Amino acid sequence: QVQLVESGGGLVQPGGSLRLSCAASGFSLDYYSIGWFRQAPGKEREGVLCMSVRGIIYYADSVKGRFTISRDSARNTVYLQMDSLKPEDTAVYYCAARRGSGYGCSYEYDYWGQGTQVTVSS
């Protein structure tokens, strides 16, 4: 069964850090481009950080210098490390996977996770 499962969300104070995980089953993430997206209440979903299958990474301006992505092939998992979190980072975060390369987040994704809530508040 093809599946993406996110975890690691929660409540964090401004300036804090969280690491989100996206575990895949039924396919290998090594052969897919990966995207992290988020959707805040009343806002459209936005691409936060997207990594092509060749490892080229797009960062949304709002997260440059604060968010990074990494991949653990042995665990078939990708991670989103979020540092210096701000209240405006509050959203449901989704990971997604797509076949093919290409730079950026503006592609059709084949698989989506269920999302994990991140709340940044004091």
Side-chain angles (χ1 to χ4, degrees):
Q1 180 182 3
V2 172
Q3 198 173 13
L4 287 173
V5 178
E6 301 100 335
S7 61
L11 174 65
V12 63
Q13 291 187 342
S17 297
L18 279 176
R19 188 179 76 159
L20 305 184
S21 301
C22 173
S25 58
F27 69 104
S28 173
L29 287 173
D30 285 351
Y31 304 105
Y32 284 74
S33 296
I34 307 300
W36 281 98
F37 296 80
R38 68 186 180 188
Q39 187 164 22
K43 294 187 177 181
E44 293 187 355
R45 186 176 63 197
E46 63 170 336
V48 172
L49 186 158
C50 295
M51 180 172 67
S52 75
V53 67
R54 298 178 182 178
I56 300 171
I57 302 171
Y58 160 86
Y59 299 86
D61 288 343
S62 57
V63 305
K64 282 180 181 177
R66 301 188 299 122
F67 290 13
T68 57
I69 189 172
S70 60
R71 186 197 304 262
D72 184 336
S73 297
R75 298 181 184 271
N76 205 21
T77 299
V78 293
Y79 303 96
L80 180 67
Q81 178 67 40
M82 305 185 295
D83 298 320
S84 302
L85 282 162
K86 304 175 181 180
E88 51 263 44
D89 294 318
T90 296
V92 177
Y93 283 72
Y94 301 88
C95 67
R98 62 176 175 89
R99 298 175 184 86
S101 58
Y103 174 76
C105 298
S106 299
Y107 294 90
E108 289 293 324
Y109 280 75
D110 299 297
Y111 308 120
W112 289 85
Q114 83 288 353
T116 186
Q117 176 70 47
V118 172
T119 302
V120 184
S121 175
S122 55

